[in-house]
Amino acid sequence: MGPQTIDYILLALKVVSIIFYFLVMWFLYHKSFKEDGDSTKPFYASFIINGFVDSFNILMMTFLLDVSSWGWFYDYFKYNEFFHRWSPVFSYLPIFWSEMGNFVITFNRFVALNFPMIYKCYWNWKVFIAFLIIQFSLPLIIYYYLIVEKTKLNYLEESNTYSLSMARSEISQRNNITATVFTSIIFTLTLIMCIFNVVKFTKIVNNKHEKKTVLPFILYCSFICFSMFFLCAAYAIKMIGTIIKSENVRAHAQSYVTSSMLCMTIIHPYLLLLINKRLRQKFLVFYLGFGKNNILPSTNVHTKRNGAISVIK
């Protein structure tokens, strides 16, 4: 009972990652979001919004899944009626808000790379707001029934921990089937877009300027796709555990969901700076003030009339 050493390590990682996430968001808002070309501004805007969503998701997962399993605040998790009513909604919505945010980012880069003329002409702030509304409203529409449902706290003798689950088993089964279908669809669509991105990249790989501009976004979207796959697989295992009515399988699968979501959320700030040398240099200059003379010139993706990609420094 209680947190193990690995739990403290993961908790510290979450805290550090949220702080670092906000540092990157603040940097993007003050520097790249204001200085870069119009082709990347919606991407950075989505990144910043997803930063808030991901941070909220991490906090909810930690409180609802980790803290409850440790036996902390037992009376609150076990008997508080208000908690039992709000926890079902926030056990699922933040997860799929984050996943939809990843999907929107991938779709943004997919259109910019494969249909540059359409992106330049039609992807404006109205389209951005429309996708933002879809990102938050679609999961809410899908899981509307959770508003009237409740959770309960179960004790698992095998692992000597607690597990938070739905009060009604049929709702748990519905949740997991819905989550499996939803994550499978989003993963499949993301995978298709990533494949098209890679095919497009093979056509411009010999152009050094275009390659340098496009490659970071392709790598970024590919890592997002991998994290979506792990989330989809975790929910499939959890669905099986619910169907066979095995609380231990379901609890272990929930830990896989938590790990997948942790990867899907905290990876963003590290990955963005790791794969983009220019952003990394500007980030270090912004906060530490060194390396200013070594910053690479910015590159923006523009389009020619024939739809080809051109890169202007």
Side-chain angles (χ1 to χ4, degrees):
M1 187 65 63
Q4 305 297 317
T5 302
I6 185 63
D7 295 318
Y8 286 114
I9 295 175
L10 290 176
L11 184 60
L13 176 62
K14 293 174 185 178
V15 173
V16 171
S17 296
I18 289 177
I19 295 174
F20 186 66
Y21 214 146
F22 274 85
L23 289 175
V24 174
M25 290 159 55
W26 187 253
F27 156 71
L28 290 178
Y29 175 76
H30 278 274
K31 285 292 183 180
S32 296
F33 185 70
K34 292 183 178 180
E35 297 175 2
D36 281 11
D38 292 336
S39 63
T40 55
K41 284 183 178 180
F43 172 83
Y44 291 133
S46 296
F47 183 94
I48 292 172
I49 292 174
N50 286 341
F52 288 104
V53 175
D54 289 343
S55 299
F56 179 71
N57 187 14
I58 293 172
L59 293 175
M60 284 293 99
M61 285 193 303
T62 302
F63 181 70
L64 295 176
L65 302 179
D66 296 336
V67 175
S68 64
S69 68
W70 298 337
W72 293 2
F73 310 110
Y74 174 81
D75 290 339
Y76 177 75
F77 288 118
K78 185 70 174 180
Y79 303 111
N80 189 281
E81 187 68 18
F82 178 69
F83 169 77
H84 292 164
R85 290 188 177 277
W86 71 258
S87 54
V89 174
F90 288 100
S91 295
Y92 281 87
L93 287 187
I95 294 176
F96 297 107
W97 284 339
S98 291
E99 185 175 37
M100 283 298 298
N102 290 336
F103 175 79
V104 170
I105 286 179
T106 304
F107 185 71
N108 175 281
R109 294 297 88 190
F110 166 75
V111 176
L113 180 60
N114 293 276
F115 307 99
M117 288 299 296
I118 294 177
Y119 183 84
K120 182 178 180 180
C121 295
Y122 297 104
W123 198 290
N124 50 35
W125 290 109
K126 291 182 180 179
V127 175
F128 169 80
I129 293 174
F131 274 101
L132 188 64
I133 293 174
I134 294 174
Q135 174 183 348
F136 286 94
S137 62
L138 184 59
L140 183 59
I141 293 172
I142 293 175
Y143 285 99
Y144 72 94
Y145 58 89
L146 291 178
I147 297 176
V148 296
E149 297 299 331
K150 296 181 181 180
T151 57
K152 66 177 181 179
L153 191 66
N154 303 308
Y155 176 69
L156 305 178
E157 293 185 5
E158 182 178 324
S159 57
N160 191 30
T161 59
Y162 291 97
S163 173
L164 194 67
S165 65
M166 302 303 299
R168 295 197 295 158
S169 59
E170 59 269 26
I171 297 300
S172 291
Q173 183 170 340
R174 181 178 179 180
N175 286 345
N176 293 318
I177 293 175
T178 303
T180 303
V181 173
F182 184 83
T183 54
S184 298
I185 293 174
I186 297 299
F187 163 69
T188 302
L189 294 176
T190 304
L191 178 62
I192 292 173
M193 288 188 289
C194 287
I195 292 174
F196 274 98
N197 288 345
V198 172
V199 172
K200 182 69 175 183
F201 179 74
T202 59
K203 298 179 181 179
I204 63 173
V205 69
N206 293 326
N207 188 312
K208 294 181 63 176
H209 295 314
E210 292 184 13
K211 177 182 177 181
K212 185 182 297 184
T213 303
V214 171
L215 182 59
F217 293 114
I218 292 180
L219 292 176
Y220 187 82
C221 294
S222 297
F223 276 103
I224 288 177
C225 184
F226 278 118
S227 65
M228 287 183 173
F229 168 74
F230 291 128
L231 181 65
C232 177
Y235 269 117
I237 297 174
K238 188 178 179 182
M239 179 184 66
I240 294 174
T242 303
I243 293 175
I244 65 177
K245 298 181 180 180
S246 173
E247 188 64 27
N248 287 321
V249 172
R250 193 203 66 80
H252 282 92
Q254 182 61 58
S255 67
Y256 302 150
V257 172
T258 304
S259 301
S260 300
M261 281 309 306
L262 186 61
C263 176
M264 183 182 292
T265 51
I266 69 172
I267 195 176
H268 289 284
Y270 303 107
L271 184 60
L272 186 66
L273 296 183
L274 178 65
I275 65 179
N276 195 315
K277 184 177 181 179
R278 184 180 64 86
L279 272 183
R280 184 169 64 251
Q281 290 175 334
K282 294 178 69 174
F283 177 81
L284 294 175
V285 170
F286 183 74
Y287 284 110
L288 303 179
F290 64 83
K292 186 174 183 179
N293 296 329
N294 297 324
I295 296 179
L296 295 174
S298 61
T299 55
N300 298 319
V301 178
H302 295 271
T303 55
K304 299 177 181 178
R305 291 185 178 180
N306 60 4
I309 299 175
S310 64
V311 182
I312 300 177
K313 289 190 175 183

